[in-house]
Structure formats: C-alpha cells, structure tokens
Amino acid sequence: MPGKLYLCATPIGNLGDITYRCVETLRSVDLIAAEDTRRTVTLLNYLNIEKPLVSYHDHNRREKGGFLIEKLKNGENIALVSDAGTPAISDPGEDLVVLCAENGIETVPVPGPVAAINGLIVSGLPTGRFAFEGFLSVNRRSRSELLEKLKTEERTIIFHEAPHKLMNTLNDLLKALGNRRIALCRELTKIHEEVFRTDLEGAIARYAETPPKGEFVLVVEGRPAAEAAEEERAKWDGMTVETHVQMYVDAGMSEKEAIRAAANDRGVSKRDIYNIIKV
Ligand code: SAM
C-alpha cells in the first residue's frame, strides 16, 4: 500500500503555535521533506524529534519530487514542512500535491498557521470576501497587467512582501489603485509583531523615514463601492438615454424592461427615463 503525504503547518514565528497533531504526525512519519532543513532542525530539536530529513525546495523540486513520490509508492509516510506556515501556500509544496494527485497518493492536511490569514484577521478590513495574491511578480509586464486587473477587485486583497521590496510595491499599488486603506502586518507571532493600519500614502510616508524590517503581509482594501458606483454613472453619462434604452431592446428586452434596466443603471426612476424618451 502506498504511504501518505502529510502537509504539516508549522509556526510562522512563535514555536508555541505548533499543534498537537502536527507533533504527533512528525513523530509518526518515516521521513520529513523540508523546504529549509536548518529551520526544520531547529523546530525538531525544540520538539525532541529525530527523523530523516530530505530537502525539498524551489530549486530541486523536480528531481526531489520524483524521489519523494517513489518513497510514497513504496509505502513510506512523509511529512511535508515548509519554511514556515502552511505548505503549498506560496511555496513548492503545491507541486508535490499535484504529483501525489497524479500518482494516486493520498494527501492529508495537518492545519495550522498561515501568515496571510493571520494578517487578514487583524487587518481591520472586510474579511468576508478576499483575494490572496501571494508575492507580486517582479516581471514588470505581468506585474502591471495584474495590478490593472486588481483595480476593479472589490474583495480585500492580500499580498506577501519582503522588506527590501516593500516601498516599490507600495508605490506601484498607489499608482494602480489610488490611495486605498492598507494594513501592514509585520513579524506576526514574533517579538516585534506589529499591525500598522493606514492608507497607501501613509505607509509610503512612514517607510520613507524608517526603512522596513521583517516579513510583511499586506492587506489592501478592495475597490470601494462608491468608486464603483461613480465609474458606473460616468459610463452612462457618456451615452444618451435613448441609446441606453435601445441597447437593452437590441439585447432582447421589451421596452418596459429596457426602461427599468436603464433607470436602475442611472439610479433614477422609470418615470424619468420614460419622460425623456417619449418627448
Ligand atoms: N507558506 C507560508 C504560510 O503559510 O504563511 C507562506 C510562505 S511565503 C514563501 C513567505 C511570506 O509569508 C513572507 O515573505 C511574508 O510575506 C509572509 N510571512 C511569513 N511569516 C510571516 C510573519 N511571521 N509575519 C508576516 N508575514 C509573514
């Protein structure tokens, strides 16, 4: 029988955040695949666990992926541990899960800390709907294409960012999205944990004075409803009421339905539309 791959979430700072189940799993598996073996050794020493370790990271994921799949096929149980947090979130664990799926190997989540989710919950921004974007691409073209798409994103948007790229990212966000609210969540669960709730201009002003340090989760407000409504109104302002109603008639609506739809778009009454088109 093949073994199983356990996706073990580990602390993003505070070692006390390890779960009982994660400890039990790390104790019971045959092998631990770790993104950063030195960091995992520190964790295993803290937990008094000795296990064979195999490194599995961005640069060896192809060869090591095949190696780990063979081990799993031979019945070994493997725990996958990322640098910190939950494997497969912005790390090569994603690829190993795909390989397991292709090879009929069971994958088991062992849940725990995720930096992005912890940033979101303390951000003070809406948490009901959100879009996780991970790290913004450093490729200029794909970065600006994505930022262009995000202009109309209404959900709260979460990014990962490294301190040396923070200012550049804040400036790009300001340019693309306008001055939105942002929570900069730094060093979560660590001694210097900080949640700075401000707007993009405020964040730029602060980090221009004090260079950023530590790991960041950026939580950015989605497009404000008022901005969307304003844009919608501007769209109809450039079209006559007659053309607007005709657009819906051409799309198959009755005149009555078209008047209702146009009134709705423009935030006016059906009577107002009727009075204009019947003049
Ligand atoms: N798999 C991880 C998880 O579940 O959180 C994310 C891995 S990603 C390669 C690393 C990024 O997560 C960092 O660059 C930073 O943006 C964010 N991060 C990790 N630990 C953090 C912490 N303690 N505080 C704030 N952000 C953190």
PDB file of all heavy atoms in Angstrom, residues 12-13 82 84-87 89-91 113-116 135 160-162 185-190 215-217, ligand 1:
ATOM      1  N   ILE A  12       4.772  30.356  12.223  1.00  0.00           N
ATOM      2  CA  ILE A  12       5.349  31.425  11.388  1.00  0.00           C
ATOM      3  C   ILE A  12       6.217  32.340  12.262  1.00  0.00           C
ATOM      4  O   ILE A  12       6.632  33.407  11.830  1.00  0.00           O
ATOM      5  CB  ILE A  12       4.261  32.234  10.651  1.00  0.00           C
ATOM      6  CG1 ILE A  12       3.212  32.778  11.629  1.00  0.00           C
ATOM      7  CG2 ILE A  12       3.611  31.398   9.569  1.00  0.00           C
ATOM      8  CD1 ILE A  12       2.236  33.772  10.997  1.00  0.00           C
ATOM      9  N   GLY A  13       6.466  31.942  13.475  1.00  0.00           N
ATOM     10  CA  GLY A  13       7.298  32.729  14.388  1.00  0.00           C
ATOM     11  C   GLY A  13       7.318  32.057  15.747  1.00  0.00           C
ATOM     12  O   GLY A  13       8.316  31.442  16.134  1.00  0.00           O
ATOM     13  N   SER A  82       7.027  23.374   5.301  1.00  0.00           N
ATOM     14  CA  SER A  82       7.638  24.475   4.547  1.00  0.00           C
ATOM     15  C   SER A  82       8.495  25.319   5.479  1.00  0.00           C
ATOM     16  O   SER A  82       8.587  25.045   6.675  1.00  0.00           O
ATOM     17  CB  SER A  82       6.575  25.307   3.831  1.00  0.00           C
ATOM     18  OG  SER A  82       5.667  25.807   4.750  1.00  0.00           O
ATOM     19  N   ALA A  84       8.032  28.070   6.782  1.00  0.00           N
ATOM     20  CA  ALA A  84       7.190  28.451   7.921  1.00  0.00           C
ATOM     21  C   ALA A  84       5.762  28.473   7.405  1.00  0.00           C
ATOM     22  O   ALA A  84       5.541  28.690   6.218  1.00  0.00           O
ATOM     23  CB  ALA A  84       7.567  29.839   8.418  1.00  0.00           C
ATOM     24  N   GLY A  85       4.818  28.204   8.288  1.00  0.00           N
ATOM     25  CA  GLY A  85       3.417  28.268   7.881  1.00  0.00           C
ATOM     26  C   GLY A  85       2.946  27.003   7.185  1.00  0.00           C
ATOM     27  O   GLY A  85       3.468  25.906   7.422  1.00  0.00           O
ATOM     28  N   THR A  86       1.983  27.174   6.310  1.00  0.00           N
ATOM     29  CA  THR A  86       1.299  26.039   5.698  1.00  0.00           C
ATOM     30  C   THR A  86       1.909  25.682   4.340  1.00  0.00           C
ATOM     31  O   THR A  86       2.000  26.553   3.471  1.00  0.00           O
ATOM     32  CB  THR A  86      -0.201  26.373   5.551  1.00  0.00           C
ATOM     33  OG1 THR A  86      -0.722  26.555   6.869  1.00  0.00           O
ATOM     34  CG2 THR A  86      -0.964  25.273   4.852  1.00  0.00           C
ATOM     35  N   PRO A  87       2.314  24.418   4.171  1.00  0.00           N
ATOM     36  CA  PRO A  87       2.884  24.025   2.875  1.00  0.00           C
ATOM     37  C   PRO A  87       1.876  24.219   1.744  1.00  0.00           C
ATOM     38  O   PRO A  87       0.665  24.073   1.969  1.00  0.00           O
ATOM     39  CB  PRO A  87       3.185  22.524   3.057  1.00  0.00           C
ATOM     40  CG  PRO A  87       3.145  22.268   4.508  1.00  0.00           C
ATOM     41  CD  PRO A  87       2.247  23.297   5.121  1.00  0.00           C
ATOM     42  N   ILE A  89       1.229  26.970   0.252  1.00  0.00           N
ATOM     43  CA  ILE A  89       0.796  28.364   0.128  1.00  0.00           C
ATOM     44  C   ILE A  89       2.045  29.180  -0.186  1.00  0.00           C
ATOM     45  O   ILE A  89       2.906  29.368   0.689  1.00  0.00           O
ATOM     46  CB  ILE A  89       0.124  28.896   1.426  1.00  0.00           C
ATOM     47  CG1 ILE A  89      -1.116  28.076   1.779  1.00  0.00           C
ATOM     48  CG2 ILE A  89      -0.224  30.372   1.301  1.00  0.00           C
ATOM     49  CD1 ILE A  89      -2.274  28.202   0.803  1.00  0.00           C
ATOM     50  N   SER A  90       2.153  29.624  -1.450  1.00  0.00           N
ATOM     51  CA  SER A  90       3.338  30.374  -1.912  1.00  0.00           C
ATOM     52  C   SER A  90       4.619  29.595  -1.689  1.00  0.00           C
ATOM     53  O   SER A  90       5.644  30.161  -1.284  1.00  0.00           O
ATOM     54  CB  SER A  90       3.477  31.718  -1.171  1.00  0.00           C
ATOM     55  OG  SER A  90       2.700  32.698  -1.729  1.00  0.00           O
ATOM     56  N   ASP A  91       4.591  28.285  -1.864  1.00  0.00           N
ATOM     57  CA  ASP A  91       5.832  27.508  -1.789  1.00  0.00           C
ATOM     58  C   ASP A  91       5.696  26.246  -2.647  1.00  0.00           C
ATOM     59  O   ASP A  91       4.607  25.937  -3.128  1.00  0.00           O
ATOM     60  CB  ASP A  91       6.232  27.223  -0.336  1.00  0.00           C
ATOM     61  CG  ASP A  91       5.355  26.192   0.347  1.00  0.00           C
ATOM     62  OD1 ASP A  91       4.891  25.262  -0.327  1.00  0.00           O
ATOM     63  OD2 ASP A  91       5.147  26.315   1.558  1.00  0.00           O
ATOM     64  N   PRO A 113      -0.809  27.515  11.304  1.00  0.00           N
ATOM     65  CA  PRO A 113      -0.649  28.912  10.912  1.00  0.00           C
ATOM     66  C   PRO A 113      -0.486  29.144   9.402  1.00  0.00           C
ATOM     67  O   PRO A 113       0.163  28.359   8.719  1.00  0.00           O
ATOM     68  CB  PRO A 113       0.656  29.324  11.608  1.00  0.00           C
ATOM     69  CG  PRO A 113       0.854  28.341  12.697  1.00  0.00           C
ATOM     70  CD  PRO A 113       0.250  27.062  12.230  1.00  0.00           C
ATOM     71  N   VAL A 114      -1.111  30.237   8.953  1.00  0.00           N
ATOM     72  CA  VAL A 114      -0.918  30.756   7.586  1.00  0.00           C
ATOM     73  C   VAL A 114      -0.732  32.263   7.758  1.00  0.00           C
ATOM     74  O   VAL A 114      -1.619  32.930   8.299  1.00  0.00           O
ATOM     75  CB  VAL A 114      -2.163  30.524   6.694  1.00  0.00           C
ATOM     76  CG1 VAL A 114      -1.887  30.986   5.272  1.00  0.00           C
ATOM     77  CG2 VAL A 114      -2.604  29.089   6.718  1.00  0.00           C
ATOM     78  N   ALA A 115       0.398  32.796   7.324  1.00  0.00           N
ATOM     79  CA  ALA A 115       0.680  34.225   7.546  1.00  0.00           C
ATOM     80  C   ALA A 115      -0.433  35.093   6.952  1.00  0.00           C
ATOM     81  O   ALA A 115      -0.921  36.019   7.605  1.00  0.00           O
ATOM     82  CB  ALA A 115       2.030  34.577   6.920  1.00  0.00           C
ATOM     83  N   ALA A 116      -0.854  34.798   5.725  1.00  0.00           N
ATOM     84  CA  ALA A 116      -1.835  35.637   5.029  1.00  0.00           C
ATOM     85  C   ALA A 116      -3.153  35.727   5.805  1.00  0.00           C
ATOM     86  O   ALA A 116      -3.723  36.817   5.942  1.00  0.00           O
ATOM     87  CB  ALA A 116      -2.090  35.073   3.633  1.00  0.00           C
ATOM     88  N   PHE A 135       3.022  36.737  -3.645  1.00  0.00           N
ATOM     89  CA  PHE A 135       4.002  37.774  -3.989  1.00  0.00           C
ATOM     90  C   PHE A 135       3.636  38.352  -5.355  1.00  0.00           C
ATOM     91  O   PHE A 135       3.329  37.596  -6.285  1.00  0.00           O
ATOM     92  CB  PHE A 135       5.407  37.167  -4.100  1.00  0.00           C
ATOM     93  CG  PHE A 135       5.976  36.714  -2.787  1.00  0.00           C
ATOM     94  CD1 PHE A 135       5.937  35.373  -2.427  1.00  0.00           C
ATOM     95  CD2 PHE A 135       6.558  37.621  -1.918  1.00  0.00           C
ATOM     96  CE1 PHE A 135       6.469  34.945  -1.218  1.00  0.00           C
ATOM     97  CE2 PHE A 135       7.096  37.200  -0.707  1.00  0.00           C
ATOM     98  CZ  PHE A 135       7.046  35.865  -0.354  1.00  0.00           C
ATOM     99  N   HIS A 160       1.959  38.919  -0.049  1.00  0.00           N
ATOM    100  CA  HIS A 160       3.173  38.710   0.726  1.00  0.00           C
ATOM    101  C   HIS A 160       4.174  39.752   0.252  1.00  0.00           C
ATOM    102  O   HIS A 160       4.183  40.082  -0.918  1.00  0.00           O
ATOM    103  CB  HIS A 160       3.795  37.335   0.400  1.00  0.00           C
ATOM    104  CG  HIS A 160       3.071  36.196   1.040  1.00  0.00           C
ATOM    105  ND1 HIS A 160       3.058  34.939   0.489  1.00  0.00           N
ATOM    106  CD2 HIS A 160       2.362  36.110   2.189  1.00  0.00           C
ATOM    107  CE1 HIS A 160       2.376  34.133   1.267  1.00  0.00           C
ATOM    108  NE2 HIS A 160       1.936  34.810   2.291  1.00  0.00           N
ATOM    109  N   GLU A 161       5.039  40.229   1.142  1.00  0.00           N
ATOM    110  CA  GLU A 161       6.126  41.083   0.661  1.00  0.00           C
ATOM    111  C   GLU A 161       7.353  41.029   1.558  1.00  0.00           C
ATOM    112  O   GLU A 161       7.249  40.850   2.775  1.00  0.00           O
ATOM    113  CB  GLU A 161       5.643  42.537   0.486  1.00  0.00           C
ATOM    114  CG  GLU A 161       6.562  43.371  -0.389  1.00  0.00           C
ATOM    115  CD  GLU A 161       6.976  42.656  -1.707  1.00  0.00           C
ATOM    116  OE1 GLU A 161       7.849  41.758  -1.647  1.00  0.00           O
ATOM    117  OE2 GLU A 161       6.451  43.007  -2.776  1.00  0.00           O
ATOM    118  N   ALA A 162       8.501  41.124   0.899  1.00  0.00           N
ATOM    119  CA  ALA A 162       9.785  41.152   1.612  1.00  0.00           C
ATOM    120  C   ALA A 162      10.130  42.621   1.883  1.00  0.00           C
ATOM    121  O   ALA A 162       9.764  43.494   1.099  1.00  0.00           O
ATOM    122  CB  ALA A 162      10.860  40.514   0.737  1.00  0.00           C
ATOM    123  N   CYS A 185       1.045  44.092   8.093  1.00  0.00           N
ATOM    124  CA  CYS A 185       1.143  43.164   9.228  1.00  0.00           C
ATOM    125  C   CYS A 185       2.543  42.560   9.209  1.00  0.00           C
ATOM    126  O   CYS A 185       2.898  41.827   8.292  1.00  0.00           O
ATOM    127  CB  CYS A 185       0.083  42.069   9.102  1.00  0.00           C
ATOM    128  SG  CYS A 185      -1.548  42.767   8.811  1.00  0.00           S
ATOM    129  N   ARG A 186       3.319  42.914  10.222  1.00  0.00           N
ATOM    130  CA  ARG A 186       4.760  42.630  10.205  1.00  0.00           C
ATOM    131  C   ARG A 186       5.121  41.674  11.331  1.00  0.00           C
ATOM    132  O   ARG A 186       4.614  41.809  12.449  1.00  0.00           O
ATOM    133  CB  ARG A 186       5.474  43.968  10.401  1.00  0.00           C
ATOM    134  CG  ARG A 186       6.943  43.982  10.166  1.00  0.00           C
ATOM    135  CD  ARG A 186       7.441  45.413  10.228  1.00  0.00           C
ATOM    136  NE  ARG A 186       7.498  45.903  11.584  1.00  0.00           N
ATOM    137  CZ  ARG A 186       8.537  45.724  12.390  1.00  0.00           C
ATOM    138  NH1 ARG A 186       9.620  45.112  11.961  1.00  0.00           N
ATOM    139  NH2 ARG A 186       8.520  46.182  13.610  1.00  0.00           N
ATOM    140  N   GLU A 187       5.979  40.700  11.020  1.00  0.00           N
ATOM    141  CA  GLU A 187       6.535  39.821  12.061  1.00  0.00           C
ATOM    142  C   GLU A 187       5.450  39.192  12.936  1.00  0.00           C
ATOM    143  O   GLU A 187       5.564  39.167  14.164  1.00  0.00           O
ATOM    144  CB  GLU A 187       7.524  40.612  12.926  1.00  0.00           C
ATOM    145  CG  GLU A 187       8.737  41.141  12.156  1.00  0.00           C
ATOM    146  CD  GLU A 187       9.743  40.050  11.831  1.00  0.00           C
ATOM    147  OE1 GLU A 187       9.564  39.425  10.774  1.00  0.00           O
ATOM    148  OE2 GLU A 187      10.662  39.835  12.617  1.00  0.00           O
ATOM    149  N   LEU A 188       4.398  38.716  12.308  1.00  0.00           N
ATOM    150  CA  LEU A 188       3.269  38.149  13.055  1.00  0.00           C
ATOM    151  C   LEU A 188       3.723  37.007  13.948  1.00  0.00           C
ATOM    152  O   LEU A 188       4.535  36.173  13.515  1.00  0.00           O
ATOM    153  CB  LEU A 188       2.188  37.670  12.082  1.00  0.00           C
ATOM    154  CG  LEU A 188       1.507  38.794  11.300  1.00  0.00           C
ATOM    155  CD1 LEU A 188       0.664  38.225  10.161  1.00  0.00           C
ATOM    156  CD2 LEU A 188       0.649  39.655  12.209  1.00  0.00           C
ATOM    157  N   THR A 189       3.225  36.988  15.140  1.00  0.00           N
ATOM    158  CA  THR A 189       3.505  35.991  16.194  1.00  0.00           C
ATOM    159  C   THR A 189       4.942  36.077  16.738  1.00  0.00           C
ATOM    160  O   THR A 189       5.335  35.265  17.555  1.00  0.00           O
ATOM    161  CB  THR A 189       3.208  34.525  15.769  1.00  0.00           C
ATOM    162  OG1 THR A 189       4.289  34.021  14.969  1.00  0.00           O
ATOM    163  CG2 THR A 189       1.898  34.356  15.037  1.00  0.00           C
ATOM    164  N   LYS A 190       5.715  37.063  16.264  1.00  0.00           N
ATOM    165  CA  LYS A 190       7.098  37.210  16.752  1.00  0.00           C
ATOM    166  C   LYS A 190       7.179  38.362  17.751  1.00  0.00           C
ATOM    167  O   LYS A 190       6.206  39.094  17.942  1.00  0.00           O
ATOM    168  CB  LYS A 190       8.045  37.479  15.574  1.00  0.00           C
ATOM    169  CG  LYS A 190       8.038  36.363  14.540  1.00  0.00           C
ATOM    170  CD  LYS A 190       9.047  36.633  13.447  1.00  0.00           C
ATOM    171  CE  LYS A 190       8.870  35.654  12.305  1.00  0.00           C
ATOM    172  NZ  LYS A 190       9.748  35.938  11.177  1.00  0.00           N
ATOM    173  N   GLU A 215       9.226  40.410   7.988  1.00  0.00           N
ATOM    174  CA  GLU A 215       8.353  39.853   6.944  1.00  0.00           C
ATOM    175  C   GLU A 215       6.989  40.522   7.021  1.00  0.00           C
ATOM    176  O   GLU A 215       6.464  40.744   8.103  1.00  0.00           O
ATOM    177  CB  GLU A 215       8.190  38.349   7.165  1.00  0.00           C
ATOM    178  CG  GLU A 215       9.502  37.617   7.070  1.00  0.00           C
ATOM    179  CD  GLU A 215       9.271  36.125   7.034  1.00  0.00           C
ATOM    180  OE1 GLU A 215       9.194  35.525   8.122  1.00  0.00           O
ATOM    181  OE2 GLU A 215       9.159  35.579   5.937  1.00  0.00           O
ATOM    182  N   PHE A 216       6.430  40.776   5.846  1.00  0.00           N
ATOM    183  CA  PHE A 216       5.164  41.510   5.793  1.00  0.00           C
ATOM    184  C   PHE A 216       4.049  40.739   5.101  1.00  0.00           C
ATOM    185  O   PHE A 216       4.275  40.074   4.081  1.00  0.00           O
ATOM    186  CB  PHE A 216       5.335  42.791   4.973  1.00  0.00           C
ATOM    187  CG  PHE A 216       6.049  43.896   5.694  1.00  0.00           C
ATOM    188  CD1 PHE A 216       7.434  43.925   5.740  1.00  0.00           C
ATOM    189  CD2 PHE A 216       5.339  44.898   6.332  1.00  0.00           C
ATOM    190  CE1 PHE A 216       8.099  44.945   6.389  1.00  0.00           C
ATOM    191  CE2 PHE A 216       5.995  45.929   6.989  1.00  0.00           C
ATOM    192  CZ  PHE A 216       7.385  45.951   7.016  1.00  0.00           C
ATOM    193  N   VAL A 217       2.844  40.894   5.648  1.00  0.00           N
ATOM    194  CA  VAL A 217       1.632  40.572   4.897  1.00  0.00           C
ATOM    195  C   VAL A 217       0.939  41.919   4.694  1.00  0.00           C
ATOM    196  O   VAL A 217       0.759  42.672   5.657  1.00  0.00           O
ATOM    197  CB  VAL A 217       0.720  39.611   5.683  1.00  0.00           C
ATOM    198  CG1 VAL A 217      -0.638  39.495   5.009  1.00  0.00           C
ATOM    199  CG2 VAL A 217       1.355  38.232   5.786  1.00  0.00           C
TER     200      VAL A 217
HETATM  201  N1  SAM B   1       3.521  29.051   3.444  1.00  0.00           N
HETATM  202  C1  SAM B   1       3.611  30.269   4.197  1.00  0.00           C
HETATM  203  C2  SAM B   1       2.342  30.497   5.001  1.00  0.00           C
HETATM  204  O1  SAM B   1       1.512  29.591   5.071  1.00  0.00           O
HETATM  205  O2  SAM B   1       2.187  31.551   5.609  1.00  0.00           O
HETATM  206  C3  SAM B   1       3.964  31.454   3.306  1.00  0.00           C
HETATM  207  C4  SAM B   1       5.284  31.286   2.630  1.00  0.00           C
HETATM  208  S1  SAM B   1       5.832  32.657   1.728  1.00  0.00           S
HETATM  209  C5  SAM B   1       7.199  31.931   0.909  1.00  0.00           C
HETATM  210  C6  SAM B   1       6.655  33.661   2.885  1.00  0.00           C
HETATM  211  C7  SAM B   1       5.978  35.012   3.091  1.00  0.00           C
HETATM  212  O3  SAM B   1       4.932  34.891   4.059  1.00  0.00           O
HETATM  213  C8  SAM B   1       6.881  36.099   3.651  1.00  0.00           C
HETATM  214  O4  SAM B   1       7.638  36.731   2.640  1.00  0.00           O
HETATM  215  C9  SAM B   1       5.883  37.044   4.263  1.00  0.00           C
HETATM  216  O5  SAM B   1       5.277  37.835   3.265  1.00  0.00           O
HETATM  217  C10 SAM B   1       4.855  36.059   4.815  1.00  0.00           C
HETATM  218  N2  SAM B   1       5.161  35.741   6.203  1.00  0.00           N
HETATM  219  C11 SAM B   1       5.677  34.588   6.690  1.00  0.00           C
HETATM  220  N3  SAM B   1       5.807  34.650   8.027  1.00  0.00           N
HETATM  221  C12 SAM B   1       5.358  35.872   8.393  1.00  0.00           C
HETATM  222  C13 SAM B   1       5.209  36.553   9.637  1.00  0.00           C
HETATM  223  N4  SAM B   1       5.569  35.982  10.780  1.00  0.00           N
HETATM  224  N5  SAM B   1       4.689  37.802   9.634  1.00  0.00           N
HETATM  225  C14 SAM B   1       4.319  38.394   8.482  1.00  0.00           C
HETATM  226  N6  SAM B   1       4.439  37.803   7.289  1.00  0.00           N
HETATM  227  C15 SAM B   1       4.946  36.568   7.237  1.00  0.00           C
END
